[in-house]
Amino acid sequence: FRSGADAAAAASHAQGGPLPTEYGHAQIAQISALVDQAVQDELDLLKERQELADGESRRLEFVVLSMLGLGLVIGVFTVLFTRRQVSDPIVNLTRLMERITDGNTDVEVPNLKQRDEIGALARGLEDFRGLKQKADSENWVRQYLLDINSGLQTTTTLDEFAEVLLSSLCYLLHAGYGADRKSTRLNSSHITIS
């Protein structure tokens, strides 16, 4: 079979055709050129795809950084808003509570009309302030009544009793008094209230 192929190749060569080895080199060169062209086409496509991917990557990076920046700005505003609306009023109410417990009941409690938790805390603090003020007033009266009572218990005469009672009451009322020693009766014309 091989001899027939060799005979055909020799006949083709005799007519001016290429020898089989030349024919194989030509085909290999054509195939090599086609492969080189395919490789170059694929490299060009790969380069286009890489440029497209790089563009998409830059766009995605921009979107992510923009969202991160926006999130940071929103976070800062949220913290500032929370501080202004929640933390600062609670700190102020806490300071007022300390002042009230120290005995200063002449303070004005803010945020009483708010309809949230801060308003509820403020209304509770206002109730506490009123109760503290009332308790302090009652303690003041009770203390001075005890002082008057202890002073009255040491008296032995009616004149001493009247003088201790009158001087104690005048002191509490910030009033002056005078007595006519000759008649040993109090003269109401000498009592002055300042």
Side-chain angles (χ1 to χ4, degrees), residues 25-72:
H25 285 296
Q27 280 184 335
I28 290 176
Q30 273 183 335
I31 290 172
S32 179
L34 286 174
V35 168
D36 287 343
Q37 182 61 39
V39 167
Q40 187 59 42
D41 289 346
E42 286 301 318
L43 286 174
D44 291 342
L45 284 173
L46 183 62
K47 186 177 179 182
E48 285 179 29
R49 289 181 188 138
Q50 184 64 37
E51 288 173 359
L52 183 63
D54 288 345
E56 287 295 317
S57 175
R58 282 189 299 273
R59 188 176 73 72
L60 183 61
E61 184 179 307
F62 174 75
V63 168
V64 167
L65 289 176
S66 297
M67 293 181 83
L68 183 64
L70 182 64
L72 185 63

Side-chain angles (χ1 to χ4, degrees), residues 98-151:
E98 290 170 355
R99 287 175 58 192
I100 290 171
T101 56
D102 287 342
N104 184 3
T105 56
D106 295 331
V107 295
E108 184 177 331
V109 179
N111 307 323
L112 292 172
K113 295 188 182 197
Q114 281 186 233
R115 297 283 180 215
D116 56 5
E117 291 81 4
I118 301 297
L121 285 171
R123 287 185 293 279
L125 184 59
E126 177 63 23
D127 291 344
F128 175 73
R129 186 191 68 80
L131 290 173
K132 174 85 166 112
Q133 198 170 31
K134 184 178 177 185
D136 288 349
S137 175
E138 289 174 358
N139 284 340
W140 181 83
V141 169
R142 192 173 300 123
Q143 180 62 40
Y144 280 108
L145 284 176
L146 286 173
D147 290 346
I148 292 172
N149 185 31
S150 66

